[in-house]
């Protein structure tokens, strides 16, 4: 694979204190679509996901479940692996922070930070939230309903006093601000960069990076009793997966620095402040981008276990099928914004764009070909201006979609592709091929050929979002070469190709009854 450009995309690694929900599926879906897109576009891709298995939160969850932490991690991590399969995620690796290769990597990173003089020993006295696995300054806390102190996220906090190693985060204030100024796309969306920037400009305190009051974590090298703060442990996974500390490893040379870390807005600070600071301190190249997506609410309400409104991705897939679920999540809400999930908007969106949109377009076209052209793709005569316009606009869409994908603007990429499906719909209504059978069968053949070509290219572009459904569609058209190099004239359909009686690919859904969740 030498010579291929490379692309490295990651998801956050998920805490194994709970089973996967829609939020986890959403982050990994976005990374999956990017990875698939880049592979089709000729890149050598590394797509990484996995589980974050250390820290006090996991230790306590295991205790509560009455099992030892490793067994507990093995069980819950397996659920995340299952989800990846159920959602048709194409990750190249699934990393677990309890793996030996990871312990070795993060201990090496620690030593590098220590050798460069960025770690010192002291003691920590302050607030800690186990739920967020984060330290908070007194000034950041808010008052709970009963007057208790809470983290800004609403999570409970506890007072912690213990010996601790510190990372000299304060030494990186200027360097981080320069990074944000020099590369305004380092954090997207833009509004998030502003948040990060003002956090850093407000002044950085050194960061406590080891704990002594519990055991479930990676030991600090050379210092008994200290285990690493779970975030330094977790962030290092992105390096472990490409072979660090072996910087001569082929994967490391090929894939580091990562092209994009996709994260939720809640964990942006860790990725856009602490992570680049650690890397700068260790003299390692920085990732090119951190993209922070928004959060889903459920029918207007914050999703929480206590409200009992957690959206289970398995339920969605069971109700609506996998590809409609994948499509809805990235089409409905601009990536980066918060979004509200409702069954009604799900059904409306998928019926409009899939069943009545691309589904209907291809069903009609393939049926007409099957019925009127001897079950074979007809040979076209010369293309008219309308024919050429339709096909060249679709061909040009690849470049537009590339631009959107490079900024993780999935909704815009999908919008661009579906605009072409609508254009093909308009073309079919204007050309009225069903009338041409009697009046001008040769023109009918050309129109149907152009439509089949339009569908081929739209389907090729839509593969990353709905791989399984589009695979069926492309198979019905007899298309085997499916990379983006096939967009345009290069991959034109061969007249004479058998077109079997088409099977519907996108089902139509019933609107939920009023009040039905
Ligand atoms: N373990 C850390 C990440 C370490 S990365 C080096 C962690 N894990 S998590 O399991 O709590 O969350 C993972 C992701 O799920 C985050 O990106 C978070 O934003 C996302 N979501 C959790 N709930 C969500 C919604 N309701 N909606 C969308 N995404 C949400 O943080």
């Amino acid at each position: 694979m030498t010579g291929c450009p490379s692309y490295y995309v990651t998801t956050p690694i998920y805490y194994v204190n709970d089973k996967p929900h829609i939020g986890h599926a959403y982050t990994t879906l976005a990374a999956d679509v990017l990875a698939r897109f880049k592979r089709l576009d000729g890149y050598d891709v590394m797509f990484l996901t996995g589980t974050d298995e250390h820290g006090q939160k996991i230790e306590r969850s295991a205790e509560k479940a009455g099992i030892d932490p490793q067994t507990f991690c093995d069980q819950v991590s397996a659920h995340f692996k299952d989800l990846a399969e159920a959602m048709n995620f194409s990750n190249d690796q699934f990393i677990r922070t309890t793996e030996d290769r990871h312990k070795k990597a993060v201990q090496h990173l620690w030593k590098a930070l220590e050798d460069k003089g960025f770690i010192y020993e002291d003691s920590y006295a302050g607030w800690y939230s186990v739920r967020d696995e984060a330290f908070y300054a007194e000034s950041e806390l808010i008052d709970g309903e009963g007057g208790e102190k809470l983290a800004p996220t609403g999570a409970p906090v506890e007072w912690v006093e213990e010996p601790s190693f510190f990372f000299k985060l304060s030494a990186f204030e200027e360097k981080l601000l320069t990074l944000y100024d020099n590369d305004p796309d380092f954090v997207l969306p833009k509004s998030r960069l502003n948040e990060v920037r003002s956090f850093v400009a407000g002044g950085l305190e050194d960061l406590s990076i080891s704990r002594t009051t519990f055991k479930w974590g990676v030991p600090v090298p050379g210092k008994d009793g200290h285990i690493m703060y779970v975030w330094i442990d977790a962030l290092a996974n992105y390096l472990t997966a490409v072979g660090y500390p072996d910087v001569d490893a082929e994967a490391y040379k090929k894939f580091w620095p990562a092209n994009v870390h996709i994260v939720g807005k809640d964990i942006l600070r860790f990725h856009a402040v602490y992570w680049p600071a650690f890397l700068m301190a260790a003299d390692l190249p920085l990732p090119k981008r951190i993209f922070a997506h928004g959060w889903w609410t459920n029918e207007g309400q914050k999703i929480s276990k206590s409200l009992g409104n957690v959206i289970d991705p398995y339920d969605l897939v069971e109700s609506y099928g996998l590809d409609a679920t994948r499509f809805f999540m990235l089409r409905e809400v601009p990536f980066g914004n918060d979004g509200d999930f409702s069954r009604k908007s799900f059904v409306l969106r998928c019926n409009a764009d899939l069943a009545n949109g691309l589904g209907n377009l291809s069903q009609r076209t393939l049926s007409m070909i099957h019925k009127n052209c001897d079950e074979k793709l007809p040979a076209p005569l010369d293309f008219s201006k309308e024919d050429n316009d339709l096909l060249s606009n679709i061909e040009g869409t690849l470049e537009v979609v590339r631009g959107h994908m490079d900024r993780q603007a999935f909704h815009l990429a999908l919008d661009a592709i579906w605009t072409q499906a609508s254009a093909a719909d308009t073309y079919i209504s204007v050309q009225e091929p069903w009338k041409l059978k009697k009046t001008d069968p040769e023109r009918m053949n050309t129109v149907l050929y152009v439509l089949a070509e339009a569908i081929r290219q739209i389907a090729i572009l839509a593969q990353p979002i709905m791989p399984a459904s589009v695979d069926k569609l492309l198979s019905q058209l007899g298309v085997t070469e499916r990379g983006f190099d096939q967009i345009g004239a290069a991959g034109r359909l061969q007249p004479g190709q058998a077109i079997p009686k088409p099977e519907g690919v996108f089902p139509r859904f019933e609107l939920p009854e009023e009040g039905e969740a």
Side-chain angles (χ1 to χ4, degrees), residues 188-199:
L188 283 181
K190 252 194 175 41
S191 56
R192 299 277 170 216
L193 175 68
N194 298 339
E195 254 170 49
V196 168
R197 197 175 201 300
S198 45
F199 172 74

Side-chain angles (χ1 to χ4, degrees), residues 107-225:
Q107 287 186 331
H108 190 95
L109 179 65
W110 180 287
K111 284 211 206 93
L113 299 178
E114 199 170 39
D115 290 349
K116 307 235 179 222
F118 288 109
I119 291 183
Y120 63 92
E121 195 173 354
D122 200 342
S123 64
Y124 179 78
W127 296 101
Y128 191 75
S129 159
V130 175
R131 194 168 94 191
D132 297 349
E133 295 284 19
F135 300 94
Y136 289 107
E138 179 87 33
S139 58
E140 289 180 284
L141 301 183
I142 55 170
D143 289 327
E145 277 175 14
E148 75 282 17
K149 287 183 187 303
L150 294 177
T153 55
V157 288
E158 48 200 80
W159 184 259
V160 170
E161 268 188 57
E162 56 187 324
S164 175
F165 283 99
F166 282 79
F167 171 71
K168 287 188 190 165
L169 184 63
S170 56
F172 291 90
E173 222 170 278
E174 282 310 313
K175 288 195 180 92
L176 286 166
L177 291 173
T178 310
L179 165 69
Y180 308 145
D181 288 346
N182 288 350
D183 182 4
D185 287 346
F186 179 66
V187 173
L188 283 181
K190 252 194 175 41
S191 56
R192 299 277 170 216
L193 175 68
N194 298 339
E195 254 170 49
V196 168
R197 197 175 201 300
S198 45
F199 172 74
V200 173
L204 291 176
E205 286 180 18
D206 290 347
L207 183 68
S208 164
I209 51 165
S210 77
R211 307 284 316 270
T212 44
T213 45
F214 67 95
K215 297 214 155 42
W216 187 238
V218 179
V220 168
K223 188 75 188 183
D224 284 352

Side-chain angles (χ1 to χ4, degrees), residues 424-473:
D425 256 339
T426 307
Y427 172 89
I428 213 172
S429 323
V430 172
Q431 301 295 329
E432 301 182 308
W434 52 90
K435 285 193 183 159
L436 294 171
K437 187 173 164 78
K438 285 209 176 94
T439 55
D440 187 351
E442 284 184 336
R443 177 65 194 151
M444 175 191 77
N445 286 347
T446 306
V447 168
L448 291 178
Y449 179 89
V450 167
L451 281 164
E453 247 309 291
I455 294 165
R456 176 186 73 87
Q457 297 187 57
I458 292 169
I460 285 178
L461 289 171
Q463 289 175 97
I465 185 83
M466 298 185 294
S469 321
V470 172
D471 171 61
K472 279 191 206 145
L473 191 51

Side-chain angles (χ1 to χ4, degrees), residues 310-331:
V310 173
I311 302 173
D312 180 346
Y314 289 102
D315 283 351
L316 286 183
V317 171
E318 206 183 314
S319 308
Y320 301 111
L322 175 58
D323 280 352
T325 302
R326 290 174 57 107
F327 179 78
F328 174 77
M329 284 199 273
L330 291 183
R331 176 66 187 86

